[in-house]
Amino acid sequence: KEQPSVCQDCSVGCNVDVFSQRDQILRLTARENLDVNGYFMCDIGRYGFHRYEEIERVTQPMVRNGESFDILNWDKAIEKTADLIKKSNDKTAGIVSPFHTNESNYLMGLMMKDTLGLLPRITGDEITYPSGFRISADRSPNLRGVHDISGKLAEDFSSKIKTKEICGLYILDDGIDRELDDIWKDILENMDFVIVQSYTITELTKLAHIVLPGLAPYEREGTITNDQGRIQWLRPSLPIKGNSKPDWEILMLVRNALYKESEQFVDLGEVIKKMGDQFPKYAGVTLFKIGTHGISLNGKNI
Ligand code: SF4
């Protein structure tokens, strides 16, 4: 199968074609987009998909039982998650992720209102070639989108957690590239509860009380906004594994369990519409209009 999509290994968002067979990526090739990457892509993006091949996947909801986890069905997992958040009396904070789509981050923001933050950025070297082709130091694909649709994010979130007496965290996991520093390990170990939405066993899931299985890169669908303010369509190439669910859907189910009157979105398009109602920059955006080459949101006229 050949699928037009977007590289997720830095904030440039090069356009790519993803070639896959059943549940395996075979190769990525650059796809022409003169507004983003010309005709090029770099080797970080070209070969980056191999690092997802040997990982330990999370494909069932799980709840901590001592040193290990018990498997739960989805109804129980959503109920337990909502119960923990409810019982914390507004003392749960959400952590959004620049590795996730705009829609998932937006729904986390809707649920957690103004108690929202980010983990430290994941960065590498910024490289610009003589041709002008650039690899961004920001090795996440959607930091700009997260800031666009999360309202005001706390600058120094680790300090804010202490001053607001937060006792629980609901985290959208960045995935296999996330490492935790001592400050964050200490914060997580001292929480009453930590809910982590992830596709794999990471330092975060190891410290979680509830793990909700979302989708991995190349399985996800949604929009991401590159560092030049261009919104692009991330399309899935691989089938969903086990009992995992799309991340936006998990967040919607938890929100529905918390707030009985909240919307039940039937698809991504409805989430994008709601996002546009709240954030004018994203008004009028649809997957159809984004198409294969994206839309610049700078002074846009959609
Ligand atoms: S420059 Fe960034 S987005 Fe483009 S291929 Fe390389 S890692 Fe991927």
Side-chain angles (χ1 to χ4, degrees):
K1 193 171 91 176
E2 179 182 348
Q3 178 76 285
S5 195
V6 183
C7 175
Q8 298 164 65
D9 286 335
C10 89
S11 60
V12 171
C14 291
N15 288 203
V16 295
D17 282 317
V18 181
F19 293 82
S20 62
Q21 194 171 37
R22 288 188 285 277
D23 62 351
Q24 200 187 0
I25 302 286
L26 301 177
R27 67 180 185 281
L28 263 66
T29 58
R31 179 166 57 83
E32 178 195 329
N33 186 333
L34 299 180
D35 291 315
V36 182
N37 53 303
Y39 306 90
F40 307 107
M41 70 182 299
C42 76
D43 284 352
I44 297 171
R46 191 182 302 278
Y47 301 113
F49 70 89
H50 288 298
R51 68 193 196 286
Y52 300 109
E53 288 169 349
E54 301 295 329
I55 58 174
E56 192 179 349
R57 287 295 300 266
V58 175
T59 58
Q60 303 284 350
M62 302 190 297
V63 63
R64 178 162 295 285
N65 182 1
E67 290 301 300
S68 60
F69 287 102
D70 290 339
I71 289 174
L72 289 177
N73 65 36
W74 270 111
D75 287 348
K76 273 265 166 273
I78 297 291
E79 189 187 312
K80 265 188 182 298
T81 301
D83 272 359
L84 285 174
I85 298 172
K86 243 183 245 163
K87 282 183 188 144
S88 77
N89 282 328
D90 292 332
K91 298 277 186 229
T92 306
I95 294 191
V96 284
S97 164
F99 288 82
H100 279 258
T101 63
N102 288 324
E103 294 71 35
S104 297
N105 284 302
Y106 171 64
L107 288 173
M108 178 67 93
L110 269 188
M111 194 157 54
M112 294 303 168
K113 309 211 171 70
D114 61 343
T115 315
L116 213 56
L118 280 165
L119 294 176
R121 290 174 61 185
I122 295 175
T123 56
D125 292 333
E126 173 104 16
I127 303 169
T128 304
Y129 293 91
S131 64
F133 180 82
R134 177 175 63 95
I135 304 171
S136 171
D138 173 8
R139 294 297 161 79
S140 72
N142 195 28
L143 188 60
R144 174 106 174 219
V146 168
H147 282 285
D148 282 351
I149 50 82
S150 297
K152 199 168 166 6
L153 287 173
E155 286 290 321
D156 179 3
F157 197 48
S158 54
S159 305
K160 186 167 179 186
I161 283 176
K162 286 180 191 145
T163 55
K164 288 199 84 175
E165 296 169 353
I166 296 298
C167 67
L169 289 174
Y170 186 166
I171 305 173
L172 273 180
D173 193 356
D174 294 325
I176 52 170
D177 298 322
R178 166 57 57 200
E179 288 172 1
L180 284 180
D181 58 27
D182 289 343
I183 296 174
W184 275 98
K185 275 187 190 150
D186 188 52
I187 289 173
L188 265 76
E189 278 162 6
N190 285 298
M191 285 287 141
D192 290 351
F193 64 89
V194 178
I195 300 151
V196 178
Q197 202 166 304
S198 189
Y199 58 87
T200 186
I201 298 294
T202 60
E203 288 190 353
L204 280 170
T205 49
K206 283 180 191 158
L207 293 169
H209 298 89
I210 296 182
V211 180
L212 303 171
L215 306 189
Y218 304 105
E219 295 166 15
R220 291 179 186 147
E221 181 167 26
T223 67
I224 52 177
T225 309
N226 78 359
D227 57 13
Q228 302 301 303
R230 189 175 197 82
I231 187 167
Q232 306 200 89
W233 184 354
L234 194 62
R235 293 181 224 218
S237 296
L238 298 178
I240 291 176
K241 302 270 184 309
N243 217 358
S244 314
K245 283 185 189 290
D247 292 273
W248 69 267
E249 197 180 320
I250 300 171
L251 288 151
M252 178 192 75
L253 291 171
V254 175
R255 182 168 174 252
N256 291 158
L258 279 171
Y259 307 106
K260 297 295 171 212
E261 74 292 352
S262 59
E263 298 93 335
Q264 299 191 0
F265 302 106
V266 296
D267 58 24
L268 265 180
E270 290 193 359
V271 185
I272 294 171
K273 164 88 178 54
K274 168 107 181 155
M275 200 164 74
D277 291 345
Q278 193 171 339
F279 296 99
K281 204 174 178 184
Y282 286 71
V285 169
T286 63
L287 291 176
F288 181 74
K289 286 179 186 164
I290 293 172
T292 50
H293 284 77
I295 309 169
S296 171
L297 298 174
N298 305 320
K300 74 178 168 77
N301 184 13
I302 294 173

